[in-house]
Amino acid sequence: GLSVSLTGSLADLAPLARLAPGLADLQAAGRVEVGVRAFGLLDAPSITGSVSVAGASAGLGELPPLANIDLRARLEAGLLTLDELRASWQGATLRATGTAPVTLAGDALPEAYRRMLPALPDRARFPVVTGAIPPGVLAPFVEAGTLAQLAGSLVATAQVEATSLDLAGLRADVTFDRGELITAGVRLAQLRPTRLSLADGRLEFVDWSWGGSGSGAGNLVNVRGQVRLDGDTPELDALVD
């Protein structure tokens, strides 16, 4: 068999990652350890592997980078298992686990290799949990004066699934388990858990009902509609009442 191990910096691997679609502006830093073992037939090898990343950061373009990335994952019998992912962005934290079959890569894998794989799940599944999401996550998108008038936080959970490596194959159900927003002194809180759904390139507002208290008493905000994400630019089609 053949065994390969690598310990180094993500910055050294970033030029290879930039060859992938959508990653031309990728910047990355941090420590990475990779181990791969291959044995068996040359055109259909059995491959096992592991990767760990510690204290890393990664960003695209002008957006603030994802920071404090810690990741542990392993590959065995065609199934990639994400044992742990932890990261932070603009003061918000997230953690995730999950699994993904290599067959999501489709015809990019040699046919002989696909034939020797055992039965695998038909999709990737990743449960995701966030810590408190502060208004600071909006900093790249809104003016500083507007951001200064916002306070509060959200806590979310998500179930993410993918049957392919493109947007059309991505599904996600997102629930804001807790939510409170204070803007210009007016407090709004969700009346029940807010739910969003992503499917077929559309993000749908399934259940969004927020109400005010204190100086905001009597205010009620309901949102219905969707955001189309499968075009050249996102397209909002929603009603707020």
Side-chain angles (χ1 to χ4, degrees):
L2 174 67
S3 296
V4 177
S5 61
L6 168 68
T7 300
S9 170
L10 284 175
D12 296 331
L13 300 179
L16 291 176
R18 293 186 194 116
L19 298 176
L23 297 182
D25 296 328
L26 176 69
Q27 299 294 327
R31 180 181 177 83
V32 60
E33 295 183 4
V34 178
V36 178
R37 182 169 183 260
F39 53 93
L41 300 176
L42 186 61
D43 62 344
S46 295
I47 301 174
T48 62
S50 64
V51 59
S52 64
V53 173
S57 64
L60 289 172
E62 299 299 322
L63 290 174
L66 198 66
N68 304 314
I69 303 171
D70 292 321
L71 178 149
R72 291 186 297 109
R74 51 194 165 86
L75 174 66
E76 187 172 355
L79 187 66
L80 177 66
T81 299
L82 179 62
D83 292 309
E84 177 186 46
L85 170 62
R86 295 178 182 270
S88 64
W89 191 75
Q90 295 294 95
T93 62
L94 68 84
R95 65 182 187 274
T97 57
T99 58
V102 297
T103 45
L104 291 186
D107 293 340
L109 299 175
E111 182 180 354
Y113 175 67
R114 297 200 306 269
R115 285 201 306 265
M116 58 80 61
L117 290 171
L120 292 169
D122 66 347
R123 66 195 60 207
R125 290 185 172 91
F126 298 100
V128 180
V129 178
T130 76
I133 304 172
V137 298
L138 299 175
F141 314 108
V142 303
E143 296 181 355
T146 301
L147 187 62
Q149 299 182 57
L150 298 177
S153 66
L154 301 169
V155 174
T157 56
Q159 296 293 328
V160 182
E161 296 186 354
T163 55
S164 67
L165 297 181
D166 55 22
L167 180 61
L170 182 64
R171 296 182 59 90
D173 292 311
V174 182
T175 301
F176 293 111
D177 303 292
R178 299 200 308 271
E180 179 182 78
L181 178 65
I182 302 172
T183 174
V186 177
R187 178 183 178 275
L188 291 173
Q190 58 182 13
L191 302 180
R192 52 186 177 268
T194 298
R195 294 190 297 123
L196 310 177
S197 178
L198 173 66
D200 302 321
R202 300 191 303 269
L203 179 66
E204 181 183 359
F205 301 98
V206 177
D207 193 347
W208 184 304
S209 185
W210 289 53
S213 64
S215 59
N219 292 324
L220 184 62
V221 179
N222 294 309
V223 181
R224 305 186 306 278
Q226 63 183 10
V227 181
R228 294 193 64 92
L229 303 172
D230 50 1
D232 293 333
T233 58
E235 182 180 331
L236 177 64
D237 181 13
L239 294 174
V240 180
D241 54 31

